[in-house]
Amino acid sequence: MAKISINLKEGKLNKQEDLIIGIDLGTTNSLVAYVKDGDSEAYAIKDKNGTNTLVPSIIHFNEEGKILVGEAAKKQLEYAPARTIYSVKRLMGKSFNDLSKITDLLAYRIIDEDDDSLVKIEIDGKYHSPISLSAEILKYLKLRIEDNLQQEVQKAVITVPAYFNDAQRQATRDAGKLAGLDVLRIVNEPTAAALAYGIGLAQEDERTVVVYDLGGGTFDISILDIKQGIFEVIATNGDTFLGGDDFDRTIIDYWIEKYALDIHEISTNKTKAQSLRLAAEKAKKTLSSQSHFEIKLDGINLELTIETYNSLIKSIVDKTIACCGQAMKDAGLTPKDIDEVIMVGGSTRVPLVRQEVKRYFDKELNLSLNPDEVVALGAAVQASVLAGKQKGVLLLDITPLSLGIETVGGLMDVIISRNSKIPTSLARQYTTSIDGQKNLKISVYQGERDLVQYNRKLGEFILSNIPPMPAGIPKIEVQFLLDADGILVVKAKELRSGKEQEIVIQSQYGISEEEMGKMLLDSIKNAQSDMTIKALLEARNEANNIIVNTERFLKQNNHWLGTENIEQISQFLQALKDVTQKDDKDAINQAITEINDFTAPLAHQAMDKAMAESLGGKGIDEID
Ligand code: AMP
């Protein structure tokens, strides 16, 4: 859809080409980039002040119901954590069952309606889906580039991690739709990173590439085999809870111990905790280019040298190298086989990270592009390829997981195997197992296990009106069509009767326009919130925080607390855990008061001990 405008001065028609933008929708930060007309280089768009290309992937709902995104929302994390949503990418395309392990780690409230439905987040009695929240980030990015270029934008390429499954890709695509974007392609992040460096753009390019991506909270390593414009992900590994935040945490723990900082105050006073966290991040960033860091906080001089810092983070960096080793093993490669190593993510600025990755692969690293921007720049390159601006380039991806259907006995019958090049279409024939069988249920799964119960169910449908025939006679063709984004359509047809019946199945986690409208309506309807549910959820949230803090307190202080105290605290903890499972907010609050009353004096003692230790310069064991 090209737009036409009139140049009044010259009396000529101007034809403005449709711009396709590239978006990196990240866990911590997101960015938007594009390739200028007549240029082959990609640019990331900065904020209004022209300083920052990163948009924190954070959404805040203020008390008037206004939505803030990015830096403005980040500022609210400290003051209004329950109304400020971060890390929404971790929730994309996930059901509550998928998330039971991580909900305790999030300060906001995740709702489960029934265990297989998609998660929702509750704020002021309104329910928000990860899709609609991600759409807010995408809208913000869309506006940013439209303001900057003074041009309307409708088409986009969005990146996702290589390991994202169909549901997560669908969810990302739907978020784009909801933000008013026509998502032309969902691209794997490592593919984008390679493209940003121009790797794989020429058809004759044959390269094996490692993309090492260490962000704020996640680590991914991907190995790509690039041949004739095809980007095949041959192995992925990583840790969804490992990143720069862990570096910050080790610095905080080190300072708490070295300067005997008041643990109780830090764990209860959010402002104090936040300023300590910010100081630690500042130390980390400073030590990426200098050898010493010093800051005064509440009258205490906090110091950190590069040597100490390196020893603090060594085990974290080692973990990432172990993941690299595993991925290499899975791919059947040795470091000699690798042609390029690309560094992605803010945390790859850490000198020790660079040193260890370089040492492991025994190769110079690709560091020339800003590691925060690489993925978005690559998405923009892919966009310009799609816009036909880079002639002769055809980029294809690969499906990361096998797709198939359930057959007798709960077995997985793979139709499209993992690592197939996409787009692709494959069909297989099945039949009935009972005489005169009229209906056949087709359940679609994704995964590598032989039994479907261990794989992920994408959806199911019933092929009905099969003409009555003896068992084994009907010929039912099931066809899987996987488009270039890795999105799946399944069709079924009874061939023998000649009577065509065709059903198109969407992933159960994908949403149609209609459902999207309903979702928006629902969020409005739920505005008259059920106050009882809200109070209960808040009590549970607080209880969960206290459980985490108390368990930490027990762990850090168990050497002096004594068996009696430990037992008593453990009992209170168990009681609180039990009551949190129930729906009685008063009982939860009562259990909170009980545990708090008991632990408060002990927390004071812990503080006194820490003080005595720092003044006397003695080890804790000696005091005891
Ligand atoms: P990303 O998720 O890729 O945006 O990465 C953000 C992470 O990179 C955060 O943990 C930042 O603290 C970290 N980071 C940003 N700049 C630096 C730097 N100069 N040195 C070390 N870490 C950094």
Side-chain angles (χ1 to χ4, degrees):
M1 195 185 26
K3 268 180 236 85
I4 309 267
S5 65
I6 300 168
N7 182 332
L8 291 174
K9 211 160 137 205
E10 295 174 15
K12 278 202 246 154
L13 290 180
N14 291 334
K15 196 166 157 237
Q16 195 176 50
E17 286 296 326
D18 249 3
L19 177 69
I20 311 175
I21 57 173
I23 292 178
D24 169 9
L25 187 59
T27 309
T28 322
N29 292 302
S30 297
L31 295 90
V32 57
Y34 79 116
V35 174
K36 270 187 204 158
D37 243 355
D39 199 337
S40 59
E41 214 171 308
Y43 298 88
I45 304 284
K46 293 188 171 136
D47 56 19
K48 281 213 168 73
N49 308 324
T51 47
N52 209 345
T53 53
L54 298 180
V55 174
S57 303
I58 302 176
I59 308 114
H60 171 75
F61 292 80
N62 76 8
E63 302 206 353
E64 287 90 55
K66 205 173 149 233
I67 298 175
L68 301 176
V69 176
E71 286 298 342
K74 192 175 180 181
K75 291 203 181 89
Q76 297 299 324
L77 258 186
E78 191 181 334
Y79 308 108
R83 325 168 67 92
T84 310
I85 315 297
Y86 55 91
S87 285
V88 70
K89 187 172 176 177
R90 294 189 191 280
L91 312 180
M92 287 296 263
K94 300 256 171 141
S95 67
F96 190 77
N97 265 344
D98 295 331
L99 290 174
S100 44
K101 275 186 259 122
I102 71 161
T103 44
D104 281 357
L105 300 171
L106 303 172
Y108 49 86
R109 187 72 213 161
I110 293 179
I111 300 297
D112 57 319
E113 277 178 339
D114 86 49
D115 282 350
D116 268 335
S117 68
L118 283 182
V119 293
K120 290 203 180 73
I121 293 142
E122 192 246 26
I123 293 164
D124 287 344
K126 274 195 197 176
Y127 297 94
H128 303 271
S129 72
I131 295 175
S132 66
L133 294 166
S134 299
E136 292 301 333
I137 300 171
L138 293 172
K139 274 187 219 163
Y140 186 90
L141 294 170
K142 179 175 184 277
L143 257 179
R144 172 180 276 198
I145 192 162
E146 285 180 339
D147 270 0
N148 189 285
L149 302 179
Q150 290 295 303
Q151 177 182 347
E152 207 188 324
V153 168
Q154 269 157 348
K155 294 180 177 169
V157 165
I158 305 179
T159 57
V160 295
Y163 60 78
F164 253 29
N165 64 23
D166 182 69
Q168 293 165 302
R169 285 164 198 265
Q170 282 270 18
T172 307
R173 175 171 263 276
D174 291 338
K177 239 196 259 176
L178 205 56
L181 286 168
D182 180 7
V183 183
L184 299 185
R185 190 67 72 88
I186 299 283
V187 179
N188 287 330
E189 285 162 10
T191 300
L195 284 173
Y197 278 100
I199 299 166
L201 274 175
Q203 286 291 300
E204 60 279 9
D205 244 2
E206 284 198 11
R207 233 83 75 88
T208 307
V209 175
V210 162
V211 179
Y212 178 102
D213 182 349
L214 188 62
T218 57
F219 170 62
D220 295 312
I221 150 102
S222 315
I223 305 175
L224 300 179
D225 189 31
I226 303 172
K227 235 184 254 142
Q228 294 162 347
I230 296 174
F231 290 67
E232 183 172 358
V233 180
I234 50 177
T236 62
N237 206 293
D239 188 329
T240 45
F241 286 95
L242 186 82
D245 299 347
D246 295 297
F247 297 160
D248 302 347
R249 228 165 282 132
T250 56
I251 297 174
I252 293 171
D253 289 346
Y254 166 75
W255 279 342
I256 286 180
E257 205 187 313
K258 173 154 191 220
Y259 300 103
L261 303 181
D262 182 348
I263 306 164
H264 179 70
E265 195 182 12
I266 292 162
S267 60
T268 49
N269 183 332
K270 283 194 182 122
T271 317
K272 286 243 151 64
Q274 179 73 353
S275 40
L276 188 61
R277 207 191 60 71
L278 289 177
E281 192 179 7
K282 202 165 168 197
K284 173 181 78 174
K285 290 186 176 172
T286 305
L287 294 175
S288 284
S289 56
Q290 289 167 36
S291 58
H292 180 253
F293 175 81
E294 206 173 326
I295 195 170
K296 211 173 187 120
L297 207 69
D298 290 336
I300 304 176
N301 215 30
L302 306 175
E303 277 188 74
L304 189 62
T305 64
I306 186 81
E307 291 80 17
T308 310
Y309 170 58
N310 283 348
S311 68
L312 290 175
I313 63 170
K314 179 78 168 61
S315 64
I316 303 171
V317 178
D318 285 348
K319 260 196 213 168
T320 71
I321 301 295
C323 291
C324 293
Q326 190 54 49
M328 293 287 284
K329 200 168 148 218
D330 290 349
L333 299 175
T334 64
K336 276 198 310 301
D337 303 316
I338 302 299
D339 301 308
E340 306 280 348
V341 179
I342 298 175
M343 300 296 268
V344 177
S347 301
T348 59
R349 292 196 182 88
V350 173
L352 187 72
V353 169
R354 293 181 172 185
Q355 179 193 309
E356 293 302 307
V357 176
K358 188 175 161 193
R359 192 210 309 259
Y360 177 78
F361 288 104
D362 192 20
K363 211 147 266 109
E364 285 304 321
L365 310 173
N366 281 282
L367 293 165
S368 58
L369 294 174
N370 179 334
D372 289 316
E373 295 177 0
V374 174
V375 169
L377 297 177
V381 171
Q382 166 79 71
S384 84
V385 170
L386 287 177
K389 290 186 185 151
Q390 316 225 6
K391 295 276 180 284
V393 183
L394 173 72
L395 301 172
L396 293 173
D397 253 314
I398 229 89
T399 172
L401 293 169
S402 299
L403 296 159
I405 64 169
E406 177 178 0
T407 55
V408 183
L411 285 174
M412 169 91 171
D413 195 37
V414 171
I415 295 184
I416 296 180
S417 54
R418 75 185 290 262
N419 284 347
S420 300
K421 296 176 180 76
I422 52 176
T424 186
S425 160
L426 279 167
R428 183 166 293 177
Q429 286 185 11
Y430 298 89
T431 189
T432 52
S433 54
I434 301 168
D435 287 342
Q437 189 174 334
K438 282 200 209 134
N439 301 320
L440 186 77
K441 185 156 97 177
I442 293 167
S443 304
V444 182
Y445 285 84
Q446 180 175 42
E448 306 311 312
R449 303 281 294 262
D450 293 334
L451 287 174
V452 292
Q453 60 172 309
Y454 300 118
N455 289 332
R456 185 187 180 90
K457 188 169 188 173
L458 297 177
E460 67 182 23
F461 66 92
I462 307 229
L463 176 67
S464 51
N465 296 331
I466 300 171
M469 281 182 257
I473 297 299
K475 268 191 181 175
I476 294 149
E477 185 183 78
V478 177
Q479 189 187 19
F480 275 37
L481 294 137
L482 195 57
D483 74 11
D485 300 325
I487 289 170
L488 177 71
V489 176
V490 180
K491 298 178 179 184
K493 227 190 263 182
E494 204 293 299
L495 299 175
R496 198 173 285 279
S497 61
K499 204 175 114 193
E500 257 187 66
Q501 191 175 349
E502 205 173 86
I503 299 163
V504 178
I505 172 185
Q506 293 283 343
S507 154
Q508 96 190 68
Y509 296 115
I511 50 171
S512 62
E513 309 275 351
E514 200 181 305
E515 283 167 315
M516 217 178 278
K518 185 173 167 289
M519 216 167 71
L520 287 173
L521 266 181
D522 280 350
S523 68
I524 296 164
K525 238 181 9 211
N526 285 318
Q528 307 116 1
S529 76
D530 181 337
M531 291 305 285
T532 359
I533 295 183
K534 193 177 158 210
L536 172 65
L537 295 178
E538 279 173 356
R540 272 201 196 138
N541 211 5
E542 199 192 343
N544 284 332
N545 283 337
I546 287 176
I547 290 168
V548 171
N549 284 335
T550 312
E551 281 175 343
R552 191 179 305 134
F553 178 78
L554 267 180
K555 212 162 116 195
Q556 284 170 349
N557 297 287
N558 72 348
H559 54 282
W560 64 267
L561 278 170
T563 20
E564 226 179 290
N565 281 332
I566 292 176
E567 251 172 50
Q568 186 61 58
I569 296 175
S570 305
Q571 271 174 27
F572 278 126
L573 254 181
Q574 195 50 51
L576 183 58
K577 281 180 185 171
D578 290 345
V579 89
T580 306
Q581 302 298 321
K582 299 190 187 123
D583 291 339
D584 182 348
K585 89 165 181 343
D586 292 333
I588 298 175
N589 285 332
Q590 170 74 22
I592 289 176
T593 311
E594 275 166 11
I595 197 166
N596 273 348
D597 286 352
F598 186 78
T599 52
L602 294 171
H604 277 290
Q605 277 183 44
M607 191 169 69
D608 291 345
K609 283 195 179 285
M611 288 289 278
E613 184 203 347
S614 79
L615 292 176
K618 287 180 175 181
I620 287 170
D621 293 339
E622 290 169 62
I623 294 176
D624 279 342

